[in-house]
Amino acid sequence: MDWQNKFAPLSLSTTDALPELALAHLTSWGAITMVGDDKKSYLSGQVTCDVVSLAEDSSTLGAHCDAKGKVWSVFRLFHHNDGYAMFQPKSAIAVELAEIKKYAVFSKVDISESDDVALGLIGSSATQVVEQLSESQGDVRAINGGTAVKIDDSRWLLLLTPQAAATLVTETRAQLIDESLWTRCDIENGLPVLPAEQQNEHIPQALNVQALGGISFTKGCYTGQETVARAKYRGMNKRAMFIVSGNAEQQPATGAELERAVGENWRGAGQLLTSYRFSDGKCIGLVVLPNNLEADTQLRLKDAPESLWKIEPLPYSLDDE
């Protein structure tokens, strides 16, 4: 496993260019896999996204909720090997695995935590590398030892067996970096990251899952559907996920509390889902806040009140169609 020690932190300021090609070891990410004759129907009855119509060359975001519509997991779903993979933060998997398996005894389906390795290709040359690894086209491609999944124009997720990952790391020309740049890209793209600390706290719309195509309002029944539908059609959702930025002397911890200015006072606003700190001290993060806040609302870290933050524009709209 010496290849795992080759990844180094990449320190970037707010003005530094991204590397042309980097390979990140996504150590805090993992996947739940699902195989078996009933995998499609079983999963469709559990999650918010449209599993039945998911093409083999496409991926989708989705959420898995409890009966009250509170989210156990936000994941990226795609075809992987002979079944599905639900890619998500590793810290959420233990609880999510138990919840997603709860009714599996009644179906022909095998659900387990994958031992595959998650690697992230980042940079303008990322797609070129994937094209060398696979002869197929599309946003999800089978490659030797696993699957390549397009995240955006400059990022691909590689979910590989440990042996295939080791071979790729040994042979690649990419700069080998830790996962922090991947986190930065997730934040800048407004992609929800739900850590264990905030499982069962939010409905999917509070994490912007609907704005990213991760909720089907026309599919059949699934766990928590009543709450999710009510939030859309009756306007009951009062929260949304926002990109925030500020300055901090050190990397804020996951779950760090933000406060919002209310006149001359400060009130609790939300907890950071994830964050990234540039080398020149600027930080960005994701946080669930009341969705009626003014865009110029001033924020601060509760544990570092001198650290003022603000809300940044999302790269997509939260308005219902």
Side-chain angles (χ1 to χ4, degrees):
M1 291 294 184
D2 287 345
W3 63 270
Q4 296 189 18
N5 299 319
K6 296 182 178 181
F7 298 86
L10 177 64
S11 181
L12 293 175
S13 74
T14 51
T15 58
D16 288 336
L18 295 177
E20 178 185 341
L21 182 64
L23 185 65
H25 189 193
L26 308 181
T27 55
S28 67
W29 291 83
I32 290 174
T33 55
M34 189 173 298
V35 296
D37 293 344
D38 296 337
K39 60 183 181 293
K40 182 183 293 186
S41 59
Y42 180 79
L43 186 59
S44 182
Q46 297 294 313
V47 300
T48 61
C49 54
D50 187 352
V51 179
V52 174
S53 300
L54 183 64
E56 292 202 9
D57 64 352
S58 298
S59 73
T60 181
L61 291 181
H64 177 225
C65 307
D66 70 2
K68 296 180 180 179
K70 295 296 180 69
V71 179
W72 292 117
S73 169
V74 176
F75 52 83
R76 182 173 293 275
L77 177 70
F78 51 91
H79 291 268
H80 178 62
N81 296 334
D82 295 323
Y84 296 107
M86 302 166 67
F87 182 69
Q88 60 197 285
K90 193 174 290 184
S91 69
I93 286 181
V95 170
E96 164 61 3
L97 184 62
E99 293 297 330
I100 198 75
K101 290 176 67 173
K102 189 170 286 186
Y103 306 106
V105 66
F106 303 111
S107 300
K108 294 179 181 179
V109 62
D110 182 29
I111 307 169
S112 60
E113 181 176 359
S114 174
D115 60 2
D116 286 337
V117 174
L119 300 174
L121 272 173
I122 307 171
S124 58
S125 298
T127 298
Q128 179 183 342
V129 172
V130 173
E131 289 174 347
Q132 295 169 351
L133 297 173
S134 174
E135 296 180 355
S136 62
Q137 299 296 310
D139 291 347
V140 176
R141 309 182 189 185
I143 60 176
N144 184 38
T147 305
V149 183
K150 185 177 182 179
I151 306 300
D152 54 48
D153 288 343
S154 62
R155 285 196 299 161
W156 286 78
L157 162 69
L158 309 179
L159 195 61
L160 302 171
T161 64
Q163 182 177 357
T167 300
L168 181 65
V169 170
T170 301
E171 297 178 352
T172 187
R173 63 179 178 85
Q175 183 177 356
L176 301 179
I177 63 173
D178 69 7
E179 68 181 3
S180 60
L181 184 59
W182 187 270
T183 300
R184 170 185 162 182
C185 294
D186 277 344
I187 295 169
E188 292 175 339
N189 285 282
L191 297 179
V193 178
L194 187 69
E197 294 88 344
Q198 295 195 45
Q199 286 178 291
N200 207 221
E201 292 287 331
H202 309 289
I203 66 171
Q205 287 97 325
L207 296 159
N208 304 358
V209 179
Q210 83 290 353
L212 293 158
I215 302 177
S216 170
F217 292 99
T218 59
K219 61 175 280 186
C221 296
Y222 59 88
T223 306
Q225 181 188 23
E226 183 177 347
T227 298
V228 176
R230 198 161 55 231
K232 173 178 174 63
Y233 295 113
R234 298 186 184 177
M236 297 181 65
N237 177 48
K238 303 302 181 186
R239 300 181 75 77
M241 187 187 72
F242 294 93
I243 301 171
V244 293
S245 69
N247 290 289
E249 293 185 1
Q250 57 187 8
Q251 174 85 32
T254 297
E257 293 190 31
L258 283 175
E259 297 179 320
R260 61 187 175 99
V262 182
E264 296 182 355
N265 300 313
W266 294 87
R267 294 180 182 173
Q271 297 179 326
L272 286 175
L273 298 165
T274 188
S275 66
Y276 173 86
R277 184 178 182 276
F278 293 88
S279 61
D280 50 8
K282 181 182 177 181
C283 292
I284 55 175
L286 297 173
V287 62
V288 175
L289 299 170
N291 60 14
N292 62 352
L293 291 184
E294 297 294 334
D296 60 354
T297 298
Q298 195 169 65
L299 306 168
R300 71 179 186 183
L301 284 173
K302 181 179 180 179
D303 292 337
E306 73 285 351
S307 178
L308 297 179
W309 291 54
K310 63 179 181 178
I311 298 172
E312 298 286 356
L314 287 165
Y316 48 79
S317 173
L318 294 178
D319 294 335
D320 283 337
E321 296 179 2

